[in-house]
Amino acid sequence: MTAMYALLALALGAAAGLAVIVVDELRWEARNRLPRCTTCGEQHHRHAAHR
């Protein structure tokens, strides 16, 4: 029974570690994505010149 608890704890730790990696990756992508312009609706850098 103790071995089963050890395996369960290991699986929960691995799942928590994977969740942290996924959340970190999603935050990195959101931070580096080009923002959508409120003037023209395109995705470009924040201070792009509009014609």
Side-chain angles (χ1 to χ4, degrees):
M1 200 62 152
T2 307
M4 191 183 310
Y5 286 135
L7 287 174
L8 180 62
L10 183 64
L12 288 175
L18 186 61
V20 166
I21 291 172
V22 168
V23 168
D24 186 45
E25 181 70 22
L26 289 174
R27 290 180 67 208
W28 185 84
E29 284 182 9
R31 187 172 50 242
N32 291 328
R33 187 176 338 148
L34 287 176
R36 186 168 296 279
C37 180
T38 56
T39 304
C40 64
E42 299 284 324
Q43 284 186 338
H44 52 72
H45 293 286
R46 222 171 266 290
H47 298 291
H50 289 98
R51 296 178 185 180

